[in-house]
Amino acid sequence: MTTTVRLRAPMWTRIVLAVLAVPQLVTGLWAVINPRHWYDTFPGLGPLLVAAEPPFNAHLATDAGAGFLAVGVVAGVAALWGERRVVLVGGLGLAAFALPHFLYHAASPAPGLNATSNTVNVIILSIAALLPLAVVAASLKGRDT
């Protein structure tokens, strides 16, 4: 009989995943349930980020929402379970979404936003891309052998 030791992830990595999961889940549910409202009003305050790049496409908005939702579920479950390898997968899932998302917005300012709004958006997205990478690095550093 063999015994497997499941290493717990550092608490800060679980907190980061949980915090990052919340906006993914909210955004995803919103876009899946009401894609038109999500498109017209996201993020709900400040500049309208999604509507800054028209036209509206219900299929694309719903699919994007499903992607946000999936990433949020993976990150949330990883934060809840806390096993180092699961947290690694959660971090990788978030990074796989957040890095291309950041790179797109960094290279393609939205025509409907002013320079300040575009800059703030890119800064927020860069943080959202760097945090999962930190989770991945911490998870790899102490990975199971």
Side-chain angles (χ1 to χ4, degrees), residues 12-113:
W12 72 266
T13 62
R14 297 175 67 193
I15 292 169
V16 166
L17 287 180
V19 168
L20 292 175
V22 171
Q24 303 298 316
L25 292 167
V26 170
T27 301
L29 283 171
W30 182 5
V32 167
I33 292 169
N34 193 341
R36 183 72 214 205
H37 185 263
W38 172 75
Y39 173 86
D40 287 337
T41 61
F42 181 83
L45 54 112
L48 302 177
L49 299 177
V50 180
E53 293 195 43
F56 171 72
N57 178 314
H59 179 197
L60 183 59
T62 302
D63 285 357
F68 279 109
L69 187 58
V71 169
V73 167
V74 169
V77 168
L80 183 65
W81 287 357
E83 182 186 339
R84 191 177 299 272
R85 290 180 294 179
V86 177
V87 168
L88 171 62
V89 171
L92 287 170
L94 275 167
F97 170 78
L99 285 171
H101 190 204
F102 159 71
L103 292 171
Y104 173 81
H105 285 284
S108 307
L113 298 179

